[in-house]
Amino acid sequence: MNTSDFYYDLPAELIAQTPIEPRNASRLMVLDRISGKIEHKIFSQLEEFLNEGDCLILNDTRVIPARIYGVKKETGAVVEFLLLNQNENNVWECLCKPGKRAKIGTEFVFGDGLVDCEVVDITEDGNRKIRFNCDSKEIYNILDKIGKMPLPPYITQELKNGERYQTVYSRELGSAAAPTAGLHFTKEMLDDLKNKGINIGYVTLHVGLGTFRPVKVDDVTKHKMHTEHYHISKETADLINETKRNGKRVISVGTTSTRTLESVATKNGCICEDEDDTSIFIYPGYEFKCIDGLITNFHLPESTLIMLVSAFAGYDNTMNAYKTAVDEKYRFFSFGDAMLIL
């Protein structure tokens, strides 16, 4: 398949700039992947499509305030750093703008002297690796003081409450972007689902900005996927396996949860406790090994995310659903509406 096969025309006014209140008041498109039938609901009505014994798998990663501004010690020039992931100790891979000011050996200071760093390496794709000169556990406290939430570039309005770019169940620090399908849940809604016999399990996948990078090759199969770190506990693995044994459904909340589950199943031949890095690329033709349903937002044209959705829902169903969403003026991307695929 060609990357251009996943293009759709999206009016700019449909890109959601602010989150809706309350969280579960967003719209929910329900897509039957067998028949292609579409229903229009509200996210708070999700339970209508879930059965007792089904389980939802959520990504509990928490976004760090990863956008920081450093001053070059030699010249005083300001450089923007976007932290992507922590490699080891206090070495982080990051994007720099302008990158030409961040050569190997260059030192920067942040927060009026609160912390400084040195550029120690440059990756093949031009990212920088920097080493902070503080205790590795202290860096998160420092980021809370000097960092800003790394909202995607298509969101141009300032977010007044940073917690609205976090899920209500976020707890494991490490993401450069939110697992946005989970933004629609409230704590009360999760409690209600549990009380009605819907089981909840958690995985952790720290979302990298590679998620949002455009596919630059014409042939989809030639695209090189980014790498992200994941963890699935024994408790969650046991829940999934029990759900399957009981003939119930495993419904993944978001493409990141999906990539975690499918990575574990592909690597091990089953769902089990595991921690590793994954660069799994899911596009049409992929045979799913774990999930039976998917909750997801509406994604960018020609992105790896819409390709994943197409692999699960079917290409024609997906592109028709996106056309319908545009016609019905759904809200798109991170703060936009949701889709349930069963």
Side-chain angles (χ1 to χ4, degrees), residues 71-245:
V71 176
K72 191 173 180 179
K73 285 186 177 181
E74 292 179 352
T75 65
V78 176
V79 173
E80 177 186 295
F81 292 80
L82 188 57
L83 304 180
L84 301 179
N85 53 71
Q86 187 173 13
N87 294 157
E88 56 186 274
N89 297 325
N90 251 0
V91 176
W92 287 74
E93 184 174 347
C94 61
L95 297 174
C96 293
K97 189 168 62 174
K100 62 183 180 181
R101 292 179 176 169
K103 299 177 181 178
I104 294 176
T106 308
E107 296 180 328
F108 293 87
V109 63
F110 303 87
D112 295 325
L114 193 60
V115 69
D116 56 23
C117 81
E118 179 184 355
V119 179
V120 296
D121 198 7
I122 300 176
T123 67
E124 287 183 7
D125 53 5
N127 293 346
R128 267 53 178 180
K129 289 187 178 181
I130 61 174
R131 179 183 289 112
F132 289 107
N133 70 342
C134 64
D135 183 90
S136 59
K137 295 180 180 178
E138 182 63 20
I139 188 62
Y140 289 109
N141 293 329
I142 294 173
L143 290 176
D144 280 338
K145 297 175 183 177
I146 67 174
K148 293 186 177 182
M149 200 60 71
L151 295 178
Y154 49 74
I155 295 177
T156 57
Q157 294 188 25
E158 185 175 350
L159 184 63
K160 295 180 180 179
N161 177 10
E163 282 301 307
R164 285 303 272 109
Y165 194 57
Q166 306 277 15
T167 63
V168 297
Y169 47 83
S170 64
R171 56 190 176 190
E172 298 293 337
L173 278 168
S175 272
T180 55
L183 295 178
H184 304 282
F185 287 96
T186 65
K187 290 181 179 179
E188 294 76 15
M189 184 175 175
L190 288 170
D191 288 340
D192 288 344
L193 290 172
K194 290 178 187 175
N195 291 335
K196 290 172 180 174
I198 311 302
N199 296 310
I200 308 291
Y202 297 94
V203 296
T204 303
L205 182 138
H206 292 317
V207 188
L209 287 186
T211 296
F212 302 105
R213 282 181 175 167
V215 178
K216 296 182 178 180
V217 294
D218 293 331
D219 183 350
V220 167
T221 63
K222 304 298 184 186
H223 176 67
K224 183 180 179 181
M225 198 67 173
H226 58 286
T227 298
E228 294 165 321
H229 190 75
Y230 70 82
H231 174 255
I232 178 171
S233 66
K234 183 179 185 300
E235 179 183 11
T236 296
D238 288 346
L239 171 62
I240 292 171
N241 290 325
E242 181 183 4
T243 301
K244 293 286 193 180
R245 282 194 299 269

